[in-house]
Amino acid sequence: MKIDLGKNIAPRDIEARIQKFWDENNFWDNDVNSKQTPFCVMMPPPNVTGNLHMGHALDNVMTDIICRYKRMCGFDVLWQPGTDHASIATQLLVERDLSKRGINPHALSLDEKLNYAWKWKEEKGGQILNQLHVLGVTPVWKRERFTMDDGLSRAVTKLFVKMYREGLIYREKRLVNWCPRQQTSVSDLEVETREEHGKFYYFNYPLADGGFIEIATTRPETLFGDQAIAIHPENEKLKHLIGKKAIIPLTDIEIPIVADVHADPEKGTGAVKITPAHDFDDWEVGVRHNLTPVCILTPDAKLISDAPVPEKYRGMDRYAARKAVVEDITAAGLMTKIEDKIIPTPYSQRGGVPVEPMLTTQWFVDAEKLAAPVIAAVEEGKVQFLPEHRYNLFMSWMKNIRPWTISRQLWWGHHIPAWYDDGGNVYVAETEDEAINQSGGKTLTRDPDVLDTWFSSGLWPFSTLGWPDDTPELKRYYPTDLLYTAADIIFFWVARMMMFGIYVMGDIPIKTLNFHGLVRDAKGQKMSKTKGNGVDPLDTVEKFGADALRYFVSTAPIGTDIRYSDEEVKRGSKLLTKLWNVARFVLGNLESFEPTGDAPAVETRPIEDRWILSELNKTIAEVRKNLDKYDSFNARSAIDTFFYDIFCDQYVEFIKDRFWSPEKYGAESVAAAQWTLWTVLRAIIGLYAPFIPFLTEELWQKIYQPYEGGKTLHLTEYPMVNAEYDTDVSDMQYAIDVIKTVRTLRTERKIGNGAKLETLTVPQNVPTALYGLIKSGARANNIVAGDAVDFVVADAGEK
RNA sequence: GGGUGGUUAGCUCAGUUGGUUAGAGCGUUACGUUGACAUCGUAAAGGUCGUUGGUUCGAGUCCAAUACCACCCA
C-alpha cells in the first residue's frame, strides 16, 4: 500500500472537513426500533441566550467521550440536546436590547413583549448549540428541544394542573425572598449570603411607663414595622420588663414586650425588636405571639408612603432611610452605641442586590412531599453518585428541603395556568376555556406570573422524550443512564428532576450522576465574567484545535477541578502530532504490504511482536474497564501510557532493524512486523477515537477505510481484548533492561543516540532470541555475551 | 457554627483492595538533529507523601487528634 499523509498536520483543516462530513450524515441518530441496548443521556440545556464557556465544554466533551464509546460498543445511543429559556436572564437581555432601541419595555403590553422576545430568540438565541458543534460532540441534533416549545410547555401546564389538584402546588401569602431590583420573588437557592462590613446599632426604646429598654439591630430602618420587643424568658437581667409596653422611637406607636426564646441573652443587649414582615425569624416570633405583620417597604425597597411610616421618611430608599433614622435617633439622644460588625447579608444571585424578606402571595411546591420518595429511592441505591461523597450532600439537602417558591413576577417564561374571578377565587386549568367552565362562565383574569425556570428544566428527562404523550421514546429511553454536570446545579436542577421524575414517571430519571469540578484559570481562580479571566473555548479551538481541547478536558479526574492553561492544551497538540508522525512511520514501512489474506499466527511472530500485542490486550481491558465506570481520565491515561511509553518509545525502536536490514531477518519476520504494526495502529486509533475524534477519523479514513469499508470510524467496533494476543512474553524484560542501561551509559559517556555501537556486550542470561531487537533498540552492529552491559562505539571508539 | 473535599517533586496533579526502589506532564540540567517525530528524542537531578500519635511484620494508603486551604449549608 502506498499512502502519503504529508509531513505536516493541520488540525483545523482536518476538523472543518470532518465536521462537515459528520453534519451531512446523521451518524449519531438514535433508533427507537433498534434491537441494541439503549443508552440515553440528557444534555443539560444551556441558556438559549448563552455563549459557550469552559464549563459547557467540560460537560459536553465528557458526555461525548462516553456516548462515542457506547456507540462503538453497539449501544443505541440517544443524547438529547436542547436549550433552556432562562427566564430572568433572557428577560433582562431582551429588555436591555429594547431600551437600547429607545423602546421602554415597561410601556409594552405582554403580547408585544413576548412577540419581541420570541423574535429575538429566533434570531440570536441558540447559537450556543452551533458552538457546541465545533467541539465535535454527537447529540442527536435533529431532536433539539427548547423548554418553551409547544410540547414542553404543554408538559409544564399539565404537570402544574396535576400537582395543584393533588395538593402539591398551593398558593399562599407568606414571607418570601424578594429581589428589589428585578421586583420578583426568588427561591432560597437563588439567594447567596455575602459577608459584609456593617454596623450593629444599640439604641433605647422608651417605655410607656418611664425608663428605657435598649435593643440592638443591624436594620434600624425597619423599626416602623416593629410589632414587639422580645426578651428571652430566662433572661434574669431583663425579664422583669416582659409584659410592659415600649414606644417605637420617632413615633408614638406602642408595642408589647414579649417573652421569646429567639432573643438570645448573649447577643447584643438581649432584647430584640420584632418586625414580622421583614425578617424570617421575626415572622416565626410573630406567629407565636399572634402579631400582625406590617409591611413598610415597597417592591423596590423604598419606605411606603403611608402609616405607620412618619411622613419624613416616606418614599426613602431603604439605605437612605437607615441613615436618616440613625441620625434622628442619635439626635433624640436614644442611640447608645454603634459597633462595627461583619454581617451575613443575603443577596439576590441574579439581581446582585440584597434581597428583602417580603410578605407576598406566591405559588409554592410542597417539596417535602415530593422529596420523600426520592430519599427512599436513593437510599435503595437506585442512583449512583460520582464522586460518591455527593450522595451525602444531596441527601442532607433533600432531608431538609423547604417549600419551593415557583412563581416569578416576570413575563418571559411559562405563564401560570391559573385564573381569578372578581372575588379573587382561583381556577387552575390547562386552558382558559376550562377555567371559565369551572367558574361557571365568569369573566376571568389570568395570573400574571411565570414559573421558575427550573420548573420546566426539572421535566427535561421525560418532557423531551414526549411526555405527557405515551411515546415509544419514553418507554425505551427513560430512565436515562448518565448525567454529566456541574455540582453547582445539584439542587437547582438534579434535585428537581429527581422529584418530578419519580412523581410523574414513577421512577428515578437518571441512573448515574457524574458531578465534575470547575475549569479554573491557570492560577486556580474561578473563571468569571467580572474577573475577566475566562477563556473562550472557541479561541482555544482556533489556536490548537478541538481535539487538543478535548484531550485537555479529559484530564479531569472524576469530581475534581482542573486548571486551564494553553500549556496544558498543547499537550493535546503534541499527542496529535505524535500520532500523525507515528502513522507516517508505520505507512512508510508498509509499502510492500497489503492487509489481505491471513495474518501470521501470533505465536509464530517474534517476541517483540507478541509482547506489544499482549500489552495492547492489557491496555484495552484497562481502558474498557474505566470507560465502563465513566472514568475517562484513567481510560485516557492508560491509552497514553501504551501509546507513548510502550508503542512509540519501545516497540517502534525494537523493530526498526527488521525494516532496515530485512535480509538479516527474512521476509516472514518483516511481514510479522508489518501485520503487527497494522493491527496495533488500528487499535490505537480506535482507542483514542472517543477522545480525539477528528484526527482519528481522518487517519482511519485514509488508512483503514479502504480495507474495512464503512463510513465512519465512530461506528466501528471499539477495540476488544483478543485472547490470541496473550502469549508468554516474560523474556522481554531482559531486552527492556539492557536497552535502558545502554541509554543511561550513552548519557554518562556523552555518546549521542545517533552514534552506532560497534559491539554491545550483554549479560549471558539474555536469550539470544532477543539479540535482534536489542541491536535495533540499542543501535548496535554486533552483540556478544559477557558479564555486564558494555559497549564499543563504531569508528571513534570510546571517548 | 455544621458539613464535604484537599494537603505527595520547583509548578499542576495521579497513586485502585496497606506490600519491593512513591509516578506523570510541565519546568530545570546534560547530551543529541538518528532512516516517524525539534510542535522532537534520550538521560539526569529533584519528594522525611501537612504535623503528631496509633494499629500492623509492613502505612502516601487504615484509625485518632491537629494545622492550613477550598467549597457548600446556616
Side-chain angles (χ1 to χ4, degrees):
Chain A
M1 60 170 48
K2 223 178 160 111
I3 298 164
D4 187 8
L5 291 178
K7 188 165 167 61
N8 293 312
I9 173 176
R12 288 304 291 142
D13 293 349
I14 292 172
E15 287 173 11
R17 193 168 66 244
I18 302 279
Q19 183 62 60
K20 188 160 172 285
F21 167 70
W22 287 341
D23 284 344
E24 286 166 355
N25 294 270
N26 300 307
F27 290 132
W28 327 126
D29 287 358
N30 64 302
D31 174 8
V32 75
N33 298 313
S34 163
K35 295 247 173 2
Q36 309 288 3
T37 311
F39 184 83
C40 183
V41 186
M42 292 287 149
M43 178 185 288
N47 288 3
V48 68
T49 58
N51 267 300
L52 192 71
H53 58 61
M54 279 296 171
H56 298 122
L58 186 57
D59 284 345
N60 286 286
V61 168
M62 285 300 207
T63 304
D64 190 59
I65 287 169
I66 298 302
C67 284
R68 283 182 186 268
Y69 169 65
K70 288 288 176 185
R71 229 178 264 119
M72 292 176 80
C73 289
F75 286 79
D76 166 39
V77 174
L78 167 54
W79 180 4
Q80 172 65 48
T83 51
D84 190 279
H85 66 282
S87 181
I88 292 185
T90 305
Q91 177 169 327
L92 285 176
L93 278 175
V94 170
E95 286 180 350
R96 201 174 301 152
D97 192 56
L98 279 165
S99 299
K100 256 190 225 158
R101 294 160 181 246
I103 303 168
N104 176 10
H106 304 294
L108 298 179
S109 72
L110 175 62
D111 281 345
E112 285 170 327
K113 280 189 281 202
L114 286 176
N115 276 339
Y116 188 84
W118 275 105
K119 225 173 95 193
W120 193 89
K121 182 252 167 191
E122 296 308 328
E123 281 167 18
K124 299 188 181 161
Q127 66 165 341
I128 189 160
L129 293 185
N130 294 327
Q131 295 172 329
L132 273 176
H133 261 80
V134 176
L135 299 178
V137 299
T138 55
V140 183
W141 290 113
K142 67 181 184 195
R143 290 185 56 90
E144 176 187 339
R145 300 303 295 270
F146 175 54
T147 47
M148 269 173 73
D149 66 27
D150 288 345
L152 271 57
S153 298
R154 190 159 68 94
V156 166
T157 304
K158 190 120 191 159
L159 180 63
F160 187 98
V161 173
K162 176 179 157 73
M163 290 177 70
Y164 176 78
R165 290 190 180 147
E166 294 176 15
L168 291 164
I169 284 180
Y170 55 91
R171 191 161 174 263
E172 192 174 278
K173 185 170 187 181
R174 54 181 284 178
L175 220 47
V176 297
N177 294 300
W178 182 268
C179 173
R181 170 169 291 172
Q182 289 162 336
Q183 301 196 22
T184 176
S185 59
V186 293
S187 72
D188 296 338
L189 286 176
E190 290 162 285
V191 175
E192 61 183 21
T193 307
R194 298 187 200 165
E195 306 228 309
E196 288 196 326
H197 291 278
K199 308 275 187 197
F200 206 26
Y201 302 92
Y202 291 70
F203 54 95
N204 284 323
Y205 279 50
L207 296 171
D209 50 3
F212 297 98
I213 179 168
E214 188 189 25
I215 63 100
T217 181
T218 57
R219 300 211 55 193
E221 72 280 9
T222 62
L223 87 174
F224 305 120
D226 288 354
Q227 295 301 309
I229 286 174
I231 291 168
H232 196 282
E234 283 153 37
N235 186 329
E236 294 302 329
K237 266 198 251 167
L238 296 175
K239 71 180 187 187
H240 64 280
L241 295 173
I242 293 167
K244 293 182 186 292
K245 301 266 185 196
I247 298 164
I248 300 176
L250 314 177
T251 74
D252 46 18
I253 302 169
E254 271 191 18
I255 53 172
I257 298 173
V258 300
D260 196 283
V261 291
H262 168 61
D264 183 347
E266 305 299 315
K267 265 192 201 160
T269 65
V272 290
K273 64 198 240 3
I274 301 299
T275 323
H278 295 289
D279 183 283
F280 288 99
D281 290 329
D282 290 7
W283 171 267
E284 300 294 327
V285 177
V287 169
R288 288 197 282 271
H289 297 274
N290 207 15
L291 303 174
T292 315
V294 172
C295 180
I296 59 143
L297 288 173
T298 60
D300 56 348
K302 292 190 170 82
L303 267 57
I304 56 168
S305 297
D306 209 341
V309 177
E311 258 175 64
K312 174 177 178 188
Y313 309 100
R314 293 182 181 178
M316 276 188 177
D317 172 78
R318 53 184 162 167
Y319 297 114
R322 178 179 301 176
K323 193 161 171 266
V325 164
V326 167
E327 280 170 11
D328 293 345
I329 288 176
T330 308
L334 296 170
M335 190 67 70
T336 50
K337 188 164 60 166
I338 301 178
E339 270 179 3
D340 288 323
K341 196 184 173 192
I342 302 291
I343 302 166
T345 308
Y347 268 75
S348 161
Q349 232 172 38
R350 285 275 170 193
V353 296
V355 296
E356 283 296 337
M358 196 74 85
L359 188 60
T360 58
T361 302
Q362 303 287 348
W363 290 93
F364 297 90
V365 163
D366 185 346
E368 210 178 324
K369 278 207 188 105
L370 291 181
V374 175
I375 293 166
V378 173
E379 276 174 350
E380 272 173 47
K382 294 186 87 172
V383 182
Q384 184 192 16
F385 287 78
L386 295 176
E388 274 175 35
H389 65 254
R390 295 292 181 193
Y391 173 96
N392 294 323
L393 179 69
F394 179 85
M395 288 299 256
S396 65
W397 191 77
M398 272 292 172
K399 288 177 177 171
N400 296 298
I401 201 160
R402 289 179 291 176
W404 172 18
T405 317
I406 49 170
S407 45
R408 295 288 180 280
Q409 288 65 54
L410 304 168
W411 52 265
W412 176 247
H414 297 98
H415 282 258
I416 291 176
W419 286 262
Y420 306 97
D421 63 20
D422 289 345
N425 297 306
V426 61
Y427 306 95
V428 171
E430 288 181 34
T431 62
E432 181 159 11
D433 288 346
E434 207 183 304
I436 291 171
N437 267 347
Q438 279 180 28
S439 73
K442 290 186 188 157
T443 306
L444 302 180
T445 315
R446 184 161 193 174
D447 191 305
D449 291 352
V450 302
L451 288 167
D452 182 3
T453 283
W454 298 102
F455 191 91
S456 56
S457 17
L459 320 191
W460 190 251
F462 48 90
S463 63
T464 54
L465 295 177
W467 191 87
D469 297 330
D470 187 18
T471 61
E473 283 83 4
L474 206 51
K475 271 202 200 81
R476 179 166 171 77
Y477 299 107
Y478 191 95
T480 67
D481 291 275
L482 173 69
L483 179 73
Y484 213 96
T485 191
D488 59 357
I489 54 174
I490 197 165
F491 308 134
F492 279 113
W493 192 43
V494 178
R496 273 78 182 260
M497 285 193 289
M498 288 288 171
M499 294 194 287
F500 285 154
I502 292 190
Y503 174 62
V504 173
M505 299 294 298
D507 197 359
I508 50 136
I510 301 152
K511 293 174 199 160
T512 299
L513 296 166
N514 194 334
F515 295 102
H516 61 68
L518 299 172
V519 182
R520 297 172 174 276
D521 73 6
K523 292 175 191 155
Q525 300 285 310
K526 211 166 159 175
M527 287 188 179
S528 77
K529 266 187 204 161
T530 43
K531 278 190 217 147
N533 62 344
V535 176
D536 184 345
L538 297 179
D539 289 344
T540 301
V541 167
E542 210 44 59
K543 268 197 260 182
F544 305 105
D547 276 339
L549 175 61
R550 292 175 61 109
Y551 186 84
F552 161 69
V553 159
S554 68
T555 59
I558 287 176
T560 60
D561 295 350
I562 50 170
R563 299 189 180 196
Y564 176 91
S565 71
D566 279 359
E567 300 310 310
E568 289 297 316
V569 180
K570 278 182 194 160
R571 286 178 65 184
S573 294
K574 285 171 71 170
L575 171 83
L576 303 182
T577 308
K578 188 89 178 167
L579 187 52
W580 185 259
N581 281 314
V582 87
R584 289 176 57 223
F585 167 82
V586 170
L587 292 172
N589 290 302
L590 293 184
E591 288 188 12
S592 63
F593 172 80
E594 280 300 321
T596 49
D598 292 333
V602 171
E603 63 267 26
T604 66
R605 302 190 203 179
I607 186 169
E608 63 269 33
D609 296 351
R610 294 190 287 109
W611 171 73
I612 193 71
L613 290 171
S614 96
E615 290 293 326
L616 173 64
N617 249 6
K618 282 189 225 163
T619 304
I620 290 171
E622 178 76 10
V623 171
R624 281 180 164 267
K625 185 187 88 189
N626 283 301
L627 285 177
D628 286 338
K629 292 192 295 189
Y630 306 126
D631 184 349
S632 35
F633 168 76
N634 280 308
R636 209 217 60 201
S637 301
I639 312 174
D640 285 347
T641 302
F642 176 75
F643 173 61
Y644 274 99
D645 300 351
I646 300 177
F647 183 68
C648 292
D649 291 359
Q650 301 191 65
Y651 180 69
V652 164
E653 297 305 321
F654 292 158
I655 58 168
K656 279 179 176 172
D657 205 44
R658 284 154 76 186
F659 291 121
W660 294 342
S661 314
E663 68 287 353
K664 284 195 279 188
Y665 297 90
E668 257 181 49
S669 172
V670 172
Q674 288 174 324
W675 273 105
T676 307
L677 281 178
W678 177 254
T679 306
V680 176
L681 179 65
R682 175 63 180 84
I684 289 168
I685 288 171
L687 287 168
Y688 270 132
F691 298 88
I692 46 171
F694 291 102
L695 183 68
T696 48
E697 176 85 301
E698 171 81 357
L699 290 171
W700 180 81
Q701 288 186 0
K702 288 219 158 101
I703 304 170
Y704 291 94
Q705 187 185 31
Y707 298 94
E708 291 180 16
K711 283 183 109 175
T712 172
L713 165 68
H714 298 281
L715 295 179
T716 63
E717 186 172 65
Y718 202 70
M720 304 229 314
V721 169
N722 183 338
E724 201 200 346
Y725 295 168
D726 283 327
T727 58
D728 179 10
V729 292
S730 49
D731 281 352
M732 272 303 286
Q733 202 52 47
Y734 291 110
I736 292 165
D737 290 345
V738 166
I739 286 160
K740 167 112 178 124
T741 310
V742 169
R743 284 173 176 175
T744 309
L745 285 175
R746 276 181 186 268
T747 302
E748 279 173 11
R749 299 177 186 181
K750 297 200 186 298
I751 294 158
N753 290 319
K756 283 225 165 172
L757 307 180
E758 185 54 39
T759 306
L760 170 66
T761 310
V762 300
Q764 275 154 354
N765 60 354
V766 175
T768 53
L770 299 173
Y771 282 12
L773 75 100
I774 291 173
K775 276 198 279 183
S776 181
R779 306 181 75 82
N781 289 330
N782 299 294
I783 194 161
V784 298
D787 293 335
V789 176
D790 198 0
F791 57 72
V792 179
V793 179
D795 304 325
E798 278 190 23
K799 285 180 191 166

